[in-house]
C-alpha cells in the first residue's frame, strides 16, 4: 500500500469511525467499536474498497495511532476524537503536572478568554509534549502552544483519561489554567 493510499484510507476511516458511521451504513456500539468485516463490506458498498491487509497496514502505520483493534482483532474503533457519542471506557488517570495544547494563533485570544472546550468533539485533547502540540496547532494555521496546569485541574476535581494512542482527554480547561508556551 503506497503512502497516498494509506493517507486516503486513514482519512476515510477517521471520518467514518469518529464522525459519520451512517455515511456508509454502519452503527458503532456504545464503545465505538464496529466489526471489521462489517466495516470492510460497508466501505466496499460505499465505493471505498480496501482489504483486511490494507486495513492492518493503516492501523499499524498511522503515525498518530488513531485506530485500534479489539484484543481478538475482530473489531476496530477510533482511539479518540469522536464527535458521535461513544464511551471509550477509559479509566481516569493521574496526569503529569503539565500538559500541552496546540491551536492556531488566530484563536488564541478566544481560548485565553474562554478556555479550552471540546467544541464538536467529546473531549479536549491534550498532549504530553510540546512537539505534538505544535504539530496539532499547525494543522489550523500559524501554531501556538498552550501550557495546561494539569496538576491544578486534577486537584480541583477535573477528570483526565489517557487514550490508547497517548492523547490526554478532559472535559474542559478553564482559562485560569492556561498560559502561552514561551520555550
Amino acid at each position: 500500500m503506497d503512502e497516498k493510499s494509506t493517507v486516503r484510507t486513514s482519512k476515510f476511516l477517521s471520518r467514518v469511525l469518529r464522525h459519520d458511521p451512517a455515511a456508509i451504513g454502519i452503527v458503532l456500539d456504545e464503545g465505538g467499536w464496529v466489526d471489521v468485516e462489517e466495516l470492510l463490506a460497508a466501505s466496499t458498498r460505499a465505493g471505498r474498497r480496501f482489504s483486511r491487509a490494507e486495513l492492518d497496514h493503516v492501523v499499524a502505520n498511522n503515525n498518530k495511532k488513531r485506530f485500534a483493534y479489539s484484543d481478538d482483532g475482530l473489531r476496530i474503533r477510533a482511539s479518540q476524537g469522536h464527535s458521535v457519542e461513544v464511551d471509550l471506557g477509559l479509566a481516569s488517570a493521574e496526569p503529569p503536572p503539565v500538559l500541552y495544547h496546540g491551536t492556531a494563533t488566530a484563536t488564541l485570544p478566544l481560548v485565553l478568554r474562554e478556555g479550552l472546550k471540546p467544541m464538536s468533539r467529546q473531549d479536549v485533547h491534550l498532549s504530553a509534549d510540546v512537539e505534538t502540540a505544535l504539530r496539532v496547532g499547525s494543522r489550523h494555521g500559524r501554531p501556538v502552544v498552550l501550557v495546561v496546569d494539569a496538576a491544578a485541574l486534577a486537584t480541583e476535581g477535573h477528570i483526565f483519561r489517557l487514550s490508547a494512542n497517548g492523547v490526554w482527554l478532559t472535559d474542559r480547561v478553564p482559562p485560569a489554567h492556561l498560559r502561552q508556551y514561551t520555550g
Side-chain angles (χ1 to χ4, degrees):
M1 186 172 212
D2 65 33
E3 184 62 23
K4 186 176 176 182
S5 295
T6 300
V7 169
R8 191 171 61 244
T9 302
S10 177
K11 287 182 178 185
F12 171 77
L13 291 171
S14 287
R15 181 174 60 86
V16 169
L17 296 176
R18 295 164 88 183
H19 308 297
D20 193 10
I24 64 168
I26 62 171
V27 175
L28 306 178
D29 73 10
E30 65 280 350
W33 297 103
V34 66
D35 180 82
V36 170
E37 293 304 318
E38 182 183 339
L39 172 68
L40 292 170
S43 297
T44 298
R45 286 191 303 273
R48 295 298 308 259
R49 184 183 178 121
F50 47 91
S51 67
R52 172 64 191 248
E54 290 167 323
L55 182 62
D56 290 346
H57 176 82
V58 170
V59 171
N61 294 295
N62 183 275
N63 64 344
K64 296 177 184 170
K65 301 297 179 198
R66 283 191 169 122
F67 315 106
Y69 285 124
S70 58
D71 290 340
D72 62 10
L74 299 177
R75 299 177 300 149
I76 187 172
R77 75 175 179 186
S79 296
Q80 94 289 317
H82 298 82
S83 59
V84 296
E85 188 70 29
V86 298
D87 179 2
L88 296 174
L90 302 174
S92 63
E94 187 70 27
V98 173
L99 290 168
Y100 303 93
H101 181 81
T103 192
T105 303
T107 63
L108 184 61
L110 178 67
V111 170
L112 291 176
R113 187 172 60 251
E114 297 185 8
L116 294 171
K117 302 174 185 177
M119 308 305 280
S120 64
R121 307 266 174 103
Q122 287 188 280
D123 298 289
V124 171
H125 295 189
L126 304 170
S127 61
D129 62 89
V130 173
E131 295 76 23
T132 300
L134 189 60
R135 192 172 57 248
V136 169
S138 67
R139 294 188 325 216
H140 307 288
R142 200 169 103 224
V144 63
V145 173
L146 297 169
V147 179
V148 176
D149 187 349
L153 286 166
T155 298
E156 291 177 8
H158 287 258
I159 304 298
F160 288 84
R161 295 171 326 282
L162 183 59
S163 70
N165 62 346
V167 175
W168 284 91
L169 308 170
T170 194
D171 64 336
R172 63 185 176 84
V173 178
H177 297 292
L178 295 170
R179 67 177 168 81
Q180 189 171 348
Y181 177 77
T182 57

